[in-house]
Amino acid sequence: MFSWLGTDDRRKKEPEVFQTVSEGLKKLYKTKLLPLEESYKFHEFHSPALEDADFDNKPMVLLVGQYSTGKTSFIRYLLEQDFPGMRIGPEPTTDSFIAVMHGDTEGVIPGNALVVDPKKPFRKLNAFGNAFLNRFVCAQLPNPVLESISVIDTPGILSGEKQRISRGYDFAAVLEWFAERVDRIILLFDAHKLDISDEFSEVIKALKNHEDKIRVVLNKADQIETQQLMRVYGALMWSLGKIVNTPEVIRVYIGSFWSHPLLIPDNRKLFEAEEQDLFKDIQSLPRNAALRKLNDLIKRARLAKVHAYIISSLKKEMPAVFGKENKKKELIASLGDIYKRIEREHQISPGDFPNLKKMQDQLQAQDLNKFQPLKPKLLEAVDDMLANDIASLMVLVRQEETQRPNAVVKGGAFDGTLDGPFGHGYGEGAGEGIDEAEWVVARDKPAYDEIFYTLSPVNGKVTGANAKKEMVKSKLPNTVLGKIWKLADIDKDGMLDDEEFALANHLIKVKLEGHELPSELPGHLVPPSKRKIVE
């Protein structure tokens, strides 16, 4: 059990006691942030109110992409089994949002039933109406991967304007709703069709402010040659750079995420390394879930504060009796100037303000006279939350992380390459020769012995100074050579015999070939005559 106590005199004197970080976040949201949101109609402009399920639910991964980029196949690959409602094909097959979640039995829950379940984090989706709810289902199944995360499959993004309009609901707005609540957004691209349609471009722009959650996957990369793959990768980065306006380059994972044989296996090693990196990123989600929820609450609080300043400023400018409509039009037209004034008066970063055009459109339907004036107490409560409560809760986040060091996604594809000869990097670099009866260094030992005997060994050993003259020829930094020396000097006598010298040269070769050095010397690299010392 954790407890924390704020220093503000106006708070209760006894400490707030919470079992978990999510419990603390729920209490802070309801007591400090929600009153501000309700007072200034935040939910009508930006995002529906958060519910308990938003704080308690498992980490979610949202898959987004044009049709036939392999979104459903990607989920099938992770789970290593089919899920209810799954359809795969070259044409636009998935026409619904499918929340793939853990359940004791396989089954499908339709959207209208899903949005009334208080245990699921989807209740606020009822605002998008029946056109959307008829295209929203939850697929439940008992799968070990889903014990740690949930996955949201989305309809393939279309390119035709007619198809886009016929959806009957605001597709980009639904994705924006999910983006705010998920832990990871994976954009999938097909290596064969990189054209980014208007709807896809609109969707990516709707994910603005959530760039930290976005990862890009270039799928079906086994179907093109290496030279073409380089061109496709460059074209993808160029296209993304025009849409995602961030100074950093978005991380792109290249591979073929389905369980079929590789058509062109030339880049197998690259695909394995990329898959391993992506899997590590997804596996870390349960461990970082509390921190992500904390981060999202801070982002929401900052936006709610700015929104309160905007609404109260508009209210202040409105006349009491005559000329209301003309004044409303004037204020909406000059909203950019109001933004700048608020930015100066309250020292707020321009990045914290909502989209100007979208805000102007939303204000058209509002009665500005019904807006609330500035209420300092509500803002003080949010400032206090950001300055004191969040800092105290950060301590709990760290404590929870240390208590759950093994909170990673397990099962399915995540277990396929964990151990054994098909683990990434098995039998390479320092792992070379791991399954062989003969000492792997012995292959090149005759060549190393020739060098060894030119270094004037005394009693079968060369000094550190003499060994250094030879080792620095590798041009590796002293820090790396120092680590190699520690690994190779097995008896720790400050000198190297012929076997230790051969081992040092083998480790230099491993490093020069681009592999990492082990933190401890693996058993198969210990010279046969020294294995008793190590034991």
Side-chain angles (χ1 to χ4, degrees):
M1 185 183 287
F2 307 115
S3 67
W4 50 275
L5 173 65
T7 55
D8 195 320
D9 293 334
R10 289 167 298 177
R11 292 201 229 170
K12 295 177 186 176
K13 289 187 179 177
E14 66 272 12
E16 297 274 13
V17 179
F18 296 122
Q19 298 292 331
T20 62
V21 171
S22 66
E23 188 186 321
L25 289 171
K26 276 188 271 188
K27 180 114 185 242
L28 286 179
Y29 177 69
K30 286 175 184 172
T31 59
K32 306 241 169 147
L33 185 53
L34 187 58
L36 181 79
E37 292 182 355
E38 288 175 339
S39 185
Y40 295 102
K41 299 188 174 185
F42 180 84
H43 307 137
E44 293 180 31
F45 284 86
H46 301 292
S47 171
L50 299 178
E51 298 197 327
D52 287 355
D54 290 309
F55 296 101
D56 295 333
N57 70 300
K58 294 169 189 167
M60 292 194 289
V61 178
L62 178 69
L63 294 179
V64 183
Q66 299 186 155
Y67 72 89
S68 191
T69 51
K71 296 185 297 297
T72 308
S73 297
F74 184 87
I75 299 173
R76 170 74 182 73
Y77 184 68
L78 292 187
L79 303 183
E80 291 187 341
Q81 74 174 97
D82 293 347
F83 57 88
M86 183 185 92
R87 288 172 64 212
I88 295 174
E91 76 283 6
T93 48
T94 304
D95 63 347
S96 301
F97 281 80
I98 304 176
V100 187
M101 306 181 85
H102 188 268
D104 295 331
T105 54
E106 281 198 28
V108 173
I109 304 171
N112 282 293
L114 199 56
V115 295
V116 295
D117 185 351
K119 292 181 181 175
K120 296 278 193 296
F122 306 123
R123 280 160 61 95
K124 297 295 181 182
L125 281 167
N126 60 10
F128 293 102
N130 272 332
F132 166 71
L133 295 178
N134 291 336
R135 291 279 178 268
F136 179 44
V137 296
C138 174
Q140 290 190 320
L141 67 157
N143 183 285
V145 173
L146 300 175
E147 289 175 10
S148 306
I149 59 170
S150 301
V151 188
I152 313 293
D153 193 9
T154 61
I157 292 168
L158 308 169
S159 51
E161 181 70 11
K162 183 182 174 186
Q163 291 170 305
R164 187 171 71 84
I165 291 169
S166 68
R167 285 195 195 276
Y169 60 90
D170 191 338
F171 183 68
V174 173
L175 279 179
E176 193 175 349
W177 186 94
F178 275 109
E180 193 177 324
R181 287 158 177 80
V182 300
D183 295 69
R184 190 65 76 237
I185 302 164
I186 297 180
L187 297 180
L188 273 100
F189 289 87
D190 185 335
H192 281 92
K193 48 176 191 195
L194 283 186
D195 59 310
I196 298 179
S197 68
D198 291 344
E199 188 179 26
F200 199 11
S201 178
E202 189 183 318
V203 161
I204 295 173
K205 285 173 183 170
L207 303 178
K208 188 174 167 54
N209 299 326
H210 303 289
E211 288 90 353
D212 56 320
K213 298 179 182 179
I214 295 176
R215 303 290 183 271
V216 175
V217 170
L218 181 58
N219 202 14
K220 305 185 184 181
D222 66 315
Q223 298 177 17
I224 51 178
E225 302 280 354
T226 305
Q227 188 179 9
Q228 290 175 305
L229 182 59
M230 288 173 65
R231 289 178 179 156
V232 167
Y233 179 80
L236 175 60
M237 297 303 287
W238 181 79
S239 299
L240 285 172
K242 293 177 71 177
I243 300 170
V244 184
N245 297 317
T246 56
E248 302 86 10
V249 175
I250 282 188
R251 175 70 161 95
V252 176
Y253 299 89
I254 304 169
S256 179
F257 294 91
W258 65 346
S259 50
H260 293 249
L262 298 175
L263 291 180
I264 301 171
D266 299 3
N267 298 307
R268 184 188 190 102
K269 279 197 171 183
L270 170 67
F271 298 159
E272 286 174 2
E274 293 285 286
E275 180 183 286
Q276 201 72 14
D277 285 352
L278 180 60
F279 279 9
K280 279 180 185 172
D281 186 68
I282 295 172
Q283 283 183 296
S284 70
L285 294 179
R287 194 169 59 248
N288 300 326
L291 193 58
R292 194 275 304 167
K293 286 169 186 169
L294 189 67
N295 185 53
D296 282 356
L297 189 69
I298 294 168
K299 277 202 281 191
R300 189 181 178 98
R302 290 164 72 97
L303 180 59
K305 270 184 66 182
V306 172
H307 179 75
Y309 286 129
I310 295 167
I311 295 300
S312 58
S313 292
L314 292 170
K315 167 69 176 176
K316 191 177 176 183
E317 297 287 334
M318 284 297 287
V321 185
F322 301 112
K324 291 180 183 178
E325 276 305 310
N326 288 337
K327 187 63 176 176
K328 177 181 173 180
K329 288 176 186 173
E330 184 188 317
L331 286 172
I332 292 173
S334 62
L335 189 62
D337 296 327
I338 294 171
Y339 275 18
K340 286 175 185 171
R341 192 179 72 238
I342 294 169
E343 188 185 323
R344 282 195 311 271
E345 284 178 11
H346 302 283
Q347 288 82 50
I348 296 169
S349 166
D352 287 348
F353 284 82
N355 180 276
L356 180 63
K357 178 73 173 68
K358 186 179 175 185
M359 191 71 176
Q360 286 172 323
D361 292 342
Q362 289 171 321
L363 285 169
Q364 300 287 355
Q366 295 286 337
D367 183 350
L368 272 57
N369 277 91
K370 290 184 179 176
F371 285 174
Q372 294 290 328
L374 198 64
K375 296 179 180 176
K377 280 191 177 180
L378 292 177
L379 287 160
E380 282 169 16
V382 174
D383 285 335
D384 179 53
M385 181 185 88
L386 293 171
N388 301 310
D389 298 315
I390 295 294
S392 305
L393 214 48
M394 273 297 294
V395 177
L396 294 190
V397 171
R398 296 301 175 208
Q399 286 179 354
E400 281 197 0
E401 282 179 357
T402 54
Q403 288 192 348
R404 295 166 54 209
N406 299 318
V408 294
V409 183
K410 294 177 182 174
F414 297 100
D415 288 350
T417 59
L418 212 55
D419 301 305
F422 296 99
H424 176 61
Y426 188 91
E428 299 172 10
E432 185 185 355
I434 191 168
D435 294 330
E436 297 175 21
E438 187 188 353
W439 187 39
V440 66
V441 182
R443 294 177 198 165
D444 299 316
K445 191 170 181 292
Y448 299 143
D449 283 348
E450 285 184 26
I451 302 167
F452 178 78
Y453 288 112
T454 65
L455 300 176
S456 310
V458 178
N459 297 326
K461 295 193 173 191
V462 294
T463 62
N466 284 347
K468 179 182 177 182
K469 290 174 189 172
E470 182 60 33
M471 290 171 72
V472 294
K473 290 179 183 176
S474 66
K475 298 181 182 177
L476 289 170
N478 284 350
T479 50
V480 176
L481 292 174
K483 184 173 182 179
I484 289 171
W485 177 272
K486 284 180 183 174
L487 291 170
D489 185 12
I490 292 165
D491 52 17
K492 308 300 177 195
D493 62 352
M495 294 188 287
L496 302 180
D497 63 19
D498 61 321
E499 287 184 326
E500 291 172 327
F501 182 77
L503 174 60
N505 278 277
H506 178 77
L507 291 172
I508 286 172
K509 185 183 86 165
V510 165
K511 189 63 185 171
L512 290 176
E513 287 175 350
H515 302 287
E516 291 300 318
L517 293 171
S519 53
E520 292 181 7
L521 192 67
H524 70 281
L525 287 185
V526 177
S529 64
K530 301 281 194 304
R531 286 178 186 172
K532 286 185 180 178
I533 298 173
V534 174
E535 289 171 6

PDB file of all heavy atoms in Angstrom, residues 38-61:
ATOM      1  N   GLU A  38     -16.181  20.686 -16.773  1.00  0.00           N
ATOM      2  CA  GLU A  38     -17.633  20.837 -16.831  1.00  0.00           C
ATOM      3  C   GLU A  38     -18.043  22.312 -16.870  1.00  0.00           C
ATOM      4  O   GLU A  38     -18.984  22.693 -17.565  1.00  0.00           O
ATOM      5  CB  GLU A  38     -18.279  20.143 -15.626  1.00  0.00           C
ATOM      6  CG  GLU A  38     -18.225  18.625 -15.731  1.00  0.00           C
ATOM      7  CD  GLU A  38     -18.743  17.924 -14.488  1.00  0.00           C
ATOM      8  OE1 GLU A  38     -18.771  18.546 -13.395  1.00  0.00           O
ATOM      9  OE2 GLU A  38     -19.116  16.733 -14.609  1.00  0.00           O
ATOM     10  N   SER A  39     -17.321  23.130 -16.132  1.00  0.00           N
ATOM     11  CA  SER A  39     -17.667  24.546 -16.058  1.00  0.00           C
ATOM     12  C   SER A  39     -17.494  25.251 -17.408  1.00  0.00           C
ATOM     13  O   SER A  39     -18.276  26.141 -17.755  1.00  0.00           O
ATOM     14  CB  SER A  39     -16.812  25.234 -14.993  1.00  0.00           C
ATOM     15  OG  SER A  39     -17.204  26.569 -14.824  1.00  0.00           O
ATOM     16  N   TYR A  40     -16.493  24.836 -18.189  1.00  0.00           N
ATOM     17  CA  TYR A  40     -16.187  25.526 -19.452  1.00  0.00           C
ATOM     18  C   TYR A  40     -16.499  24.686 -20.697  1.00  0.00           C
ATOM     19  O   TYR A  40     -15.939  24.913 -21.756  1.00  0.00           O
ATOM     20  CB  TYR A  40     -14.720  25.971 -19.449  1.00  0.00           C
ATOM     21  CG  TYR A  40     -14.444  27.009 -18.379  1.00  0.00           C
ATOM     22  CD1 TYR A  40     -13.829  26.651 -17.187  1.00  0.00           C
ATOM     23  CD2 TYR A  40     -14.849  28.329 -18.537  1.00  0.00           C
ATOM     24  CE1 TYR A  40     -13.596  27.584 -16.180  1.00  0.00           C
ATOM     25  CE2 TYR A  40     -14.627  29.272 -17.544  1.00  0.00           C
ATOM     26  CZ  TYR A  40     -14.004  28.895 -16.368  1.00  0.00           C
ATOM     27  OH  TYR A  40     -13.796  29.827 -15.374  1.00  0.00           O
ATOM     28  N   LYS A  41     -17.411  23.705 -20.547  1.00  0.00           N
ATOM     29  CA  LYS A  41     -17.898  22.900 -21.678  1.00  0.00           C
ATOM     30  C   LYS A  41     -16.753  22.231 -22.465  1.00  0.00           C
ATOM     31  O   LYS A  41     -16.807  22.129 -23.699  1.00  0.00           O
ATOM     32  CB  LYS A  41     -18.730  23.767 -22.637  1.00  0.00           C
ATOM     33  CG  LYS A  41     -19.971  24.372 -21.994  1.00  0.00           C
ATOM     34  CD  LYS A  41     -20.828  25.048 -23.048  1.00  0.00           C
ATOM     35  CE  LYS A  41     -22.139  25.541 -22.457  1.00  0.00           C
ATOM     36  NZ  LYS A  41     -23.037  26.088 -23.472  1.00  0.00           N
ATOM     37  N   PHE A  42     -15.729  21.815 -21.756  1.00  0.00           N
ATOM     38  CA  PHE A  42     -14.572  21.164 -22.388  1.00  0.00           C
ATOM     39  C   PHE A  42     -14.999  19.945 -23.205  1.00  0.00           C
ATOM     40  O   PHE A  42     -14.474  19.686 -24.286  1.00  0.00           O
ATOM     41  CB  PHE A  42     -13.573  20.765 -21.299  1.00  0.00           C
ATOM     42  CG  PHE A  42     -12.328  20.082 -21.805  1.00  0.00           C
ATOM     43  CD1 PHE A  42     -11.244  20.824 -22.259  1.00  0.00           C
ATOM     44  CD2 PHE A  42     -12.229  18.694 -21.842  1.00  0.00           C
ATOM     45  CE1 PHE A  42     -10.086  20.201 -22.726  1.00  0.00           C
ATOM     46  CE2 PHE A  42     -11.071  18.065 -22.299  1.00  0.00           C
ATOM     47  CZ  PHE A  42     -10.009  18.825 -22.744  1.00  0.00           C
ATOM     48  N   HIS A  43     -15.993  19.194 -22.696  1.00  0.00           N
ATOM     49  CA  HIS A  43     -16.395  17.933 -23.340  1.00  0.00           C
ATOM     50  C   HIS A  43     -17.106  18.168 -24.664  1.00  0.00           C
ATOM     51  O   HIS A  43     -17.077  17.318 -25.540  1.00  0.00           O
ATOM     52  CB  HIS A  43     -17.290  17.136 -22.379  1.00  0.00           C
ATOM     53  CG  HIS A  43     -16.679  16.945 -21.035  1.00  0.00           C
ATOM     54  ND1 HIS A  43     -17.370  17.077 -19.862  1.00  0.00           N
ATOM     55  CD2 HIS A  43     -15.397  16.675 -20.672  1.00  0.00           C
ATOM     56  CE1 HIS A  43     -16.558  16.877 -18.834  1.00  0.00           C
ATOM     57  NE2 HIS A  43     -15.356  16.647 -19.299  1.00  0.00           N
ATOM     58  N   GLU A  44     -17.712  19.338 -24.828  1.00  0.00           N
ATOM     59  CA  GLU A  44     -18.379  19.646 -26.098  1.00  0.00           C
ATOM     60  C   GLU A  44     -17.370  20.042 -27.177  1.00  0.00           C
ATOM     61  O   GLU A  44     -17.634  19.887 -28.366  1.00  0.00           O
ATOM     62  CB  GLU A  44     -19.389  20.780 -25.912  1.00  0.00           C
ATOM     63  CG  GLU A  44     -20.577  20.407 -25.031  1.00  0.00           C
ATOM     64  CD  GLU A  44     -21.570  21.550 -24.864  1.00  0.00           C
ATOM     65  OE1 GLU A  44     -21.689  22.367 -25.807  1.00  0.00           O
ATOM     66  OE2 GLU A  44     -22.197  21.636 -23.793  1.00  0.00           O
ATOM     67  N   PHE A  45     -16.224  20.545 -26.754  1.00  0.00           N
ATOM     68  CA  PHE A  45     -15.228  21.037 -27.707  1.00  0.00           C
ATOM     69  C   PHE A  45     -14.131  20.013 -28.017  1.00  0.00           C
ATOM     70  O   PHE A  45     -13.667  19.916 -29.144  1.00  0.00           O
ATOM     71  CB  PHE A  45     -14.566  22.311 -27.160  1.00  0.00           C
ATOM     72  CG  PHE A  45     -15.426  23.532 -27.255  1.00  0.00           C
ATOM     73  CD1 PHE A  45     -16.349  23.833 -26.263  1.00  0.00           C
ATOM     74  CD2 PHE A  45     -15.332  24.385 -28.346  1.00  0.00           C
ATOM     75  CE1 PHE A  45     -17.144  24.966 -26.348  1.00  0.00           C
ATOM     76  CE2 PHE A  45     -16.124  25.523 -28.443  1.00  0.00           C
ATOM     77  CZ  PHE A  45     -17.042  25.816 -27.435  1.00  0.00           C
ATOM     78  N   HIS A  46     -13.689  19.297 -27.020  1.00  0.00           N
ATOM     79  CA  HIS A  46     -12.462  18.509 -27.198  1.00  0.00           C
ATOM     80  C   HIS A  46     -12.643  17.005 -26.994  1.00  0.00           C
ATOM     81  O   HIS A  46     -12.441  16.234 -27.920  1.00  0.00           O
ATOM     82  CB  HIS A  46     -11.378  19.024 -26.252  1.00  0.00           C
ATOM     83  CG  HIS A  46     -11.033  20.453 -26.471  1.00  0.00           C
ATOM     84  ND1 HIS A  46     -10.398  20.893 -27.623  1.00  0.00           N
ATOM     85  CD2 HIS A  46     -11.275  21.563 -25.737  1.00  0.00           C
ATOM     86  CE1 HIS A  46     -10.243  22.211 -27.567  1.00  0.00           C
ATOM     87  NE2 HIS A  46     -10.777  22.643 -26.435  1.00  0.00           N
ATOM     88  N   SER A  47     -12.999  16.592 -25.802  1.00  0.00           N
ATOM     89  CA  SER A  47     -12.999  15.160 -25.525  1.00  0.00           C
ATOM     90  C   SER A  47     -14.018  14.852 -24.429  1.00  0.00           C
ATOM     91  O   SER A  47     -14.123  15.598 -23.451  1.00  0.00           O
ATOM     92  CB  SER A  47     -11.596  14.745 -25.073  1.00  0.00           C
ATOM     93  OG  SER A  47     -11.592  13.430 -24.607  1.00  0.00           O
ATOM     94  N   PRO A  48     -14.764  13.738 -24.560  1.00  0.00           N
ATOM     95  CA  PRO A  48     -15.716  13.382 -23.507  1.00  0.00           C
ATOM     96  C   PRO A  48     -15.022  13.173 -22.168  1.00  0.00           C
ATOM     97  O   PRO A  48     -13.813  12.927 -22.112  1.00  0.00           O
ATOM     98  CB  PRO A  48     -16.323  12.062 -24.009  1.00  0.00           C
ATOM     99  CG  PRO A  48     -16.026  12.013 -25.468  1.00  0.00           C
ATOM    100  CD  PRO A  48     -14.766  12.772 -25.665  1.00  0.00           C
ATOM    101  N   ALA A  49     -15.797  13.259 -21.105  1.00  0.00           N
ATOM    102  CA  ALA A  49     -15.234  13.060 -19.758  1.00  0.00           C
ATOM    103  C   ALA A  49     -14.664  11.659 -19.634  1.00  0.00           C
ATOM    104  O   ALA A  49     -15.160  10.703 -20.242  1.00  0.00           O
ATOM    105  CB  ALA A  49     -16.328  13.280 -18.713  1.00  0.00           C
ATOM    106  N   LEU A  50     -13.596  11.523 -18.848  1.00  0.00           N
ATOM    107  CA  LEU A  50     -12.986  10.216 -18.601  1.00  0.00           C
ATOM    108  C   LEU A  50     -13.800   9.459 -17.555  1.00  0.00           C
ATOM    109  O   LEU A  50     -14.406  10.049 -16.665  1.00  0.00           O
ATOM    110  CB  LEU A  50     -11.548  10.385 -18.112  1.00  0.00           C
ATOM    111  CG  LEU A  50     -10.576  11.091 -19.067  1.00  0.00           C
ATOM    112  CD1 LEU A  50      -9.210  11.232 -18.426  1.00  0.00           C
ATOM    113  CD2 LEU A  50     -10.458  10.343 -20.386  1.00  0.00           C
ATOM    114  N   GLU A  51     -13.800   8.129 -17.676  1.00  0.00           N
ATOM    115  CA  GLU A  51     -14.500   7.282 -16.715  1.00  0.00           C
ATOM    116  C   GLU A  51     -13.511   6.362 -16.021  1.00  0.00           C
ATOM    117  O   GLU A  51     -12.345   6.254 -16.426  1.00  0.00           O
ATOM    118  CB  GLU A  51     -15.578   6.477 -17.431  1.00  0.00           C
ATOM    119  CG  GLU A  51     -16.643   7.349 -18.076  1.00  0.00           C
ATOM    120  CD  GLU A  51     -17.888   6.568 -18.415  1.00  0.00           C
ATOM    121  OE1 GLU A  51     -17.760   5.376 -18.748  1.00  0.00           O
ATOM    122  OE2 GLU A  51     -18.983   7.146 -18.333  1.00  0.00           O
ATOM    123  N   ASP A  52     -13.976   5.659 -14.995  1.00  0.00           N
ATOM    124  CA  ASP A  52     -13.099   4.770 -14.230  1.00  0.00           C
ATOM    125  C   ASP A  52     -12.392   3.758 -15.128  1.00  0.00           C
ATOM    126  O   ASP A  52     -11.213   3.456 -14.945  1.00  0.00           O
ATOM    127  CB  ASP A  52     -13.899   4.024 -13.152  1.00  0.00           C
ATOM    128  CG  ASP A  52     -14.278   4.943 -11.996  1.00  0.00           C
ATOM    129  OD1 ASP A  52     -13.837   6.118 -12.011  1.00  0.00           O
ATOM    130  OD2 ASP A  52     -15.007   4.504 -11.086  1.00  0.00           O
ATOM    131  N   ALA A  53     -13.138   3.235 -16.122  1.00  0.00           N
ATOM    132  CA  ALA A  53     -12.556   2.223 -17.013  1.00  0.00           C
ATOM    133  C   ALA A  53     -11.381   2.762 -17.812  1.00  0.00           C
ATOM    134  O   ALA A  53     -10.478   2.014 -18.187  1.00  0.00           O
ATOM    135  CB  ALA A  53     -13.632   1.684 -17.961  1.00  0.00           C
ATOM    136  N   ASP A  54     -11.368   4.081 -18.084  1.00  0.00           N
ATOM    137  CA  ASP A  54     -10.249   4.682 -18.820  1.00  0.00           C
ATOM    138  C   ASP A  54      -8.951   4.596 -18.021  1.00  0.00           C
ATOM    139  O   ASP A  54      -7.863   4.557 -18.590  1.00  0.00           O
ATOM    140  CB  ASP A  54     -10.546   6.153 -19.149  1.00  0.00           C
ATOM    141  CG  ASP A  54     -11.639   6.295 -20.184  1.00  0.00           C
ATOM    142  OD1 ASP A  54     -11.536   5.642 -21.233  1.00  0.00           O
ATOM    143  OD2 ASP A  54     -12.605   7.041 -19.933  1.00  0.00           O
ATOM    144  N   PHE A  55      -9.065   4.592 -16.704  1.00  0.00           N
ATOM    145  CA  PHE A  55      -7.876   4.518 -15.847  1.00  0.00           C
ATOM    146  C   PHE A  55      -7.506   3.077 -15.506  1.00  0.00           C
ATOM    147  O   PHE A  55      -6.356   2.785 -15.196  1.00  0.00           O
ATOM    148  CB  PHE A  55      -8.113   5.300 -14.548  1.00  0.00           C
ATOM    149  CG  PHE A  55      -8.321   6.775 -14.759  1.00  0.00           C
ATOM    150  CD1 PHE A  55      -9.582   7.323 -14.744  1.00  0.00           C
ATOM    151  CD2 PHE A  55      -7.241   7.614 -14.996  1.00  0.00           C
ATOM    152  CE1 PHE A  55      -9.785   8.686 -14.946  1.00  0.00           C
ATOM    153  CE2 PHE A  55      -7.419   8.973 -15.192  1.00  0.00           C
ATOM    154  CZ  PHE A  55      -8.693   9.512 -15.176  1.00  0.00           C
ATOM    155  N   ASP A  56      -8.516   2.170 -15.556  1.00  0.00           N
ATOM    156  CA  ASP A  56      -8.271   0.786 -15.114  1.00  0.00           C
ATOM    157  C   ASP A  56      -7.930  -0.164 -16.245  1.00  0.00           C
ATOM    158  O   ASP A  56      -7.399  -1.246 -16.003  1.00  0.00           O
ATOM    159  CB  ASP A  56      -9.518   0.244 -14.400  1.00  0.00           C
ATOM    160  CG  ASP A  56      -9.804   0.999 -13.104  1.00  0.00           C
ATOM    161  OD1 ASP A  56      -8.840   1.520 -12.520  1.00  0.00           O
ATOM    162  OD2 ASP A  56     -10.981   1.068 -12.698  1.00  0.00           O
ATOM    163  N   ASN A  57      -8.270   0.210 -17.499  1.00  0.00           N
ATOM    164  CA  ASN A  57      -8.142  -0.765 -18.577  1.00  0.00           C
ATOM    165  C   ASN A  57      -6.689  -1.084 -18.915  1.00  0.00           C
ATOM    166  O   ASN A  57      -5.773  -0.344 -18.595  1.00  0.00           O
ATOM    167  CB  ASN A  57      -8.858  -0.258 -19.839  1.00  0.00           C
ATOM    168  CG  ASN A  57      -8.147   0.916 -20.467  1.00  0.00           C
ATOM    169  OD1 ASN A  57      -7.979   1.961 -19.855  1.00  0.00           O
ATOM    170  ND2 ASN A  57      -7.707   0.756 -21.699  1.00  0.00           N
ATOM    171  N   LYS A  58      -6.503  -2.241 -19.579  1.00  0.00           N
ATOM    172  CA  LYS A  58      -5.167  -2.669 -20.016  1.00  0.00           C
ATOM    173  C   LYS A  58      -4.665  -1.750 -21.116  1.00  0.00           C
ATOM    174  O   LYS A  58      -5.458  -1.093 -21.793  1.00  0.00           O
ATOM    175  CB  LYS A  58      -5.253  -4.103 -20.570  1.00  0.00           C
ATOM    176  CG  LYS A  58      -5.610  -5.142 -19.537  1.00  0.00           C
ATOM    177  CD  LYS A  58      -5.938  -6.451 -20.226  1.00  0.00           C
ATOM    178  CE  LYS A  58      -6.513  -7.434 -19.219  1.00  0.00           C
ATOM    179  NZ  LYS A  58      -7.121  -8.584 -19.887  1.00  0.00           N
ATOM    180  N   PRO A  59      -3.353  -1.728 -21.320  1.00  0.00           N
ATOM    181  CA  PRO A  59      -2.819  -0.935 -22.443  1.00  0.00           C
ATOM    182  C   PRO A  59      -3.449  -1.372 -23.762  1.00  0.00           C
ATOM    183  O   PRO A  59      -3.717  -2.551 -23.965  1.00  0.00           O
ATOM    184  CB  PRO A  59      -1.321  -1.261 -22.420  1.00  0.00           C
ATOM    185  CG  PRO A  59      -1.042  -1.723 -21.040  1.00  0.00           C
ATOM    186  CD  PRO A  59      -2.292  -2.382 -20.552  1.00  0.00           C
ATOM    187  N   MET A  60      -3.692  -0.402 -24.635  1.00  0.00           N
ATOM    188  CA  MET A  60      -4.314  -0.704 -25.928  1.00  0.00           C
ATOM    189  C   MET A  60      -3.391  -0.300 -27.070  1.00  0.00           C
ATOM    190  O   MET A  60      -2.696   0.712 -26.984  1.00  0.00           O
ATOM    191  CB  MET A  60      -5.655   0.022 -26.060  1.00  0.00           C
ATOM    192  CG  MET A  60      -6.733  -0.484 -25.119  1.00  0.00           C
ATOM    193  SD  MET A  60      -8.411   0.091 -25.552  1.00  0.00           S
ATOM    194  CE  MET A  60      -8.308   1.823 -25.114  1.00  0.00           C
ATOM    195  N   VAL A  61      -3.404  -1.110 -28.128  1.00  0.00           N
ATOM    196  CA  VAL A  61      -2.632  -0.830 -29.343  1.00  0.00           C
ATOM    197  C   VAL A  61      -3.623  -0.606 -30.474  1.00  0.00           C
ATOM    198  O   VAL A  61      -4.483  -1.459 -30.741  1.00  0.00           O
ATOM    199  CB  VAL A  61      -1.688  -2.006 -29.683  1.00  0.00           C
ATOM    200  CG1 VAL A  61      -0.938  -1.730 -30.975  1.00  0.00           C
ATOM    201  CG2 VAL A  61      -0.705  -2.268 -28.545  1.00  0.00           C
TER     202      VAL A  61
END
